[in-house]
mmCIF file of all heavy atoms in Angstrom:
data_model
loop_
_atom_site.group_PDB
_atom_site.id
_atom_site.type_symbol
_atom_site.label_atom_id
_atom_site.label_comp_id
_atom_site.label_asym_id
_atom_site.label_seq_id
_atom_site.Cartn_x
_atom_site.Cartn_y
_atom_site.Cartn_z
ATOM 1 N N TRP A 978 84.266 96.367 97.111
ATOM 2 C CA TRP A 978 82.908 96.784 96.755
ATOM 3 C C TRP A 978 82.525 96.110 95.434
ATOM 4 O O TRP A 978 83.401 95.882 94.585
ATOM 5 C CB TRP A 978 82.854 98.301 96.535
ATOM 6 C CG TRP A 978 83.020 99.178 97.744
ATOM 7 C CD1 TRP A 978 83.992 99.102 98.703
ATOM 8 C CD2 TRP A 978 82.196 100.294 98.102
ATOM 9 N NE1 TRP A 978 83.833 100.102 99.631
ATOM 10 C CE2 TRP A 978 82.727 100.856 99.283
ATOM 11 C CE3 TRP A 978 81.059 100.889 97.539
ATOM 12 C CZ2 TRP A 978 82.166 101.967 99.902
ATOM 13 C CZ3 TRP A 978 80.502 102.006 98.153
ATOM 14 C CH2 TRP A 978 81.044 102.535 99.331
ATOM 15 N N ALA A 1073 77.238 112.806 102.705
ATOM 16 C CA ALA A 1073 75.776 112.860 102.734
ATOM 17 C C ALA A 1073 75.311 112.456 104.127
ATOM 18 O O ALA A 1073 75.750 111.441 104.662
ATOM 19 C CB ALA A 1073 75.205 111.889 101.703
ATOM 20 N N GLY A 1082 70.797 100.652 113.354
ATOM 21 C CA GLY A 1082 70.561 99.209 113.386
ATOM 22 C C GLY A 1082 70.114 98.643 112.042
ATOM 23 O O GLY A 1082 70.111 97.440 111.842
ATOM 24 N N TYR A 1123 98.331 110.058 84.060
ATOM 25 C CA TYR A 1123 97.192 109.251 83.633
ATOM 26 C C TYR A 1123 95.924 109.658 84.377
ATOM 27 O O TYR A 1123 95.956 109.938 85.576
ATOM 28 C CB TYR A 1123 97.490 107.747 83.851
ATOM 29 C CG TYR A 1123 96.432 106.909 83.207
ATOM 30 C CD1 TYR A 1123 96.368 106.805 81.817
ATOM 31 C CD2 TYR A 1123 95.450 106.286 83.963
ATOM 32 C CE1 TYR A 1123 95.361 106.091 81.205
ATOM 33 C CE2 TYR A 1123 94.440 105.562 83.354
ATOM 34 C CZ TYR A 1123 94.397 105.477 81.985
ATOM 35 O OH TYR A 1123 93.391 104.776 81.373
ATOM 36 N N VAL A 1164 79.701 125.667 115.011
ATOM 37 C CA VAL A 1164 78.964 124.515 115.545
ATOM 38 C C VAL A 1164 77.628 124.390 114.821
ATOM 39 O O VAL A 1164 77.187 125.319 114.137
ATOM 40 C CB VAL A 1164 78.720 124.674 117.062
ATOM 41 C CG1 VAL A 1164 80.019 124.541 117.839
ATOM 42 C CG2 VAL A 1164 78.041 126.002 117.360
ATOM 43 N N HIS A 1274 106.799 104.783 103.176
ATOM 44 C CA HIS A 1274 108.063 104.528 102.477
ATOM 45 C C HIS A 1274 108.538 105.782 101.717
ATOM 46 O O HIS A 1274 109.724 106.134 101.763
ATOM 47 C CB HIS A 1274 107.886 103.352 101.518
ATOM 48 C CG HIS A 1274 109.172 102.893 100.908
ATOM 49 N ND1 HIS A 1274 110.247 102.470 101.665
ATOM 50 C CD2 HIS A 1274 109.576 102.820 99.613
ATOM 51 C CE1 HIS A 1274 111.247 102.145 100.859
ATOM 52 N NE2 HIS A 1274 110.876 102.350 99.616
ATOM 53 N N GLY A 1321 98.043 125.227 74.320
ATOM 54 C CA GLY A 1321 99.198 125.214 73.423
ATOM 55 C C GLY A 1321 100.260 124.204 73.828
ATOM 56 O O GLY A 1321 100.935 123.613 72.985
ATOM 57 N N GLU A 1378 96.518 136.121 76.252
ATOM 58 C CA GLU A 1378 95.451 137.073 76.507
ATOM 59 C C GLU A 1378 94.338 136.367 77.290
ATOM 60 O O GLU A 1378 94.032 135.212 76.991
ATOM 61 C CB GLU A 1378 94.880 137.500 75.152
ATOM 62 C CG GLU A 1378 94.435 138.933 75.097
ATOM 63 C CD GLU A 1378 93.918 139.238 73.701
ATOM 64 O OE1 GLU A 1378 94.749 139.223 72.751
ATOM 65 O OE2 GLU A 1378 92.704 139.433 73.578
ATOM 66 N N GLY A 1406 107.453 127.498 81.117
ATOM 67 C CA GLY A 1406 108.569 128.048 80.355
ATOM 68 C C GLY A 1406 108.182 129.040 79.261
ATOM 69 O O GLY A 1406 108.857 130.054 79.065
#
Side-chain angles (χ1 to χ4, degrees):
W978 290 49
Y1123 190 72
V1164 290
H1274 188 58
E1378 215 179 293

